[in-house]
Amino acid sequence: MGAPVSVGVVALDPVLEAGTRATLLACPELTVCEPAEARVAVLTVDRLGPGELDMVRTTRALRHGPAVVLVAGVLASGDALHTLAAGARGLLVRRDADGPRLAHAVLAAARDDCTLPPGLLEQLLDRPSDARHGTGGWTDGMLSDRERSVLRLVADGHETAEIAQRLAYSPRTVTTVVHDITQRFRLRNRAHAVAYALRAGLL
């Protein structure tokens, strides 16, 4: 057996942090350290929202770029897509995150593998790529036909006026569509919107 994998814990709730650390300390394949020095970071949250997705991105941006495993109290199929698009390598529901399962997810992330709860994985595989309706966290994040058309042209390098002419929209409408997308997903600019949509499988 090789050296233990270093793992850090990130949580907004000190009780969740303490519980996650205790679970990880019981795993001989792992050694717990500060997130900034860890090979893998475990993020423990109650629910997934914009703030928690920002935590995933911020943790991935740490100097050593640790892989991220997210443990959430409640997850919907859409949450899995958002979390993977934000850069997480593993996802667990907290009620299932016992020592062996959590250790397995951490070790998989350290190998650059990805783990998902079986139920969520089945929902993702069964979901049509252009589905825009249904229940769960991803519903609000889907793109309309108009948004998809605009983003495709942005991805092809077209400017606002060109996009407006091609789609028979006003330039103001094109600007509004892009603005709405960046606001909804909390993205920085047009390029970030295209990259996010591609990573999330929306284009």
Side-chain angles (χ1 to χ4, degrees), residues 62-168:
L62 291 172
R63 185 163 53 96
H64 294 298
V68 171
V69 172
L70 186 125
V71 179
V74 180
L75 283 174
S77 60
D79 292 339
L81 286 171
H82 280 302
T83 305
L84 295 175
R89 299 298 299 168
L91 193 55
L92 286 172
V93 180
R94 195 162 62 232
R95 67 175 176 273
D96 299 329
D98 58 14
R101 286 193 183 101
L102 186 54
H104 173 76
V106 168
L107 294 171
R111 296 190 304 269
D112 207 27
D113 286 338
C114 187
T115 54
L116 289 174
L120 284 181
L121 182 58
E122 289 167 14
Q123 290 177 43
L124 288 175
L125 292 175
D126 291 341
R127 184 185 205 94
S129 61
D130 61 348
R132 287 184 294 278
H133 304 290
T135 58
W138 187 240
T139 305
D140 292 338
M142 297 308 293
L143 297 174
S144 67
D145 289 337
R146 180 167 72 169
E147 290 170 334
R148 197 186 308 272
S149 297
V150 168
L151 264 193
R152 280 195 181 118
L153 291 172
V154 171
D156 289 339
H158 297 288
E159 296 296 330
T160 299
E162 295 175 298
I163 296 170
Q165 184 175 17
R166 283 173 176 253
L167 298 178

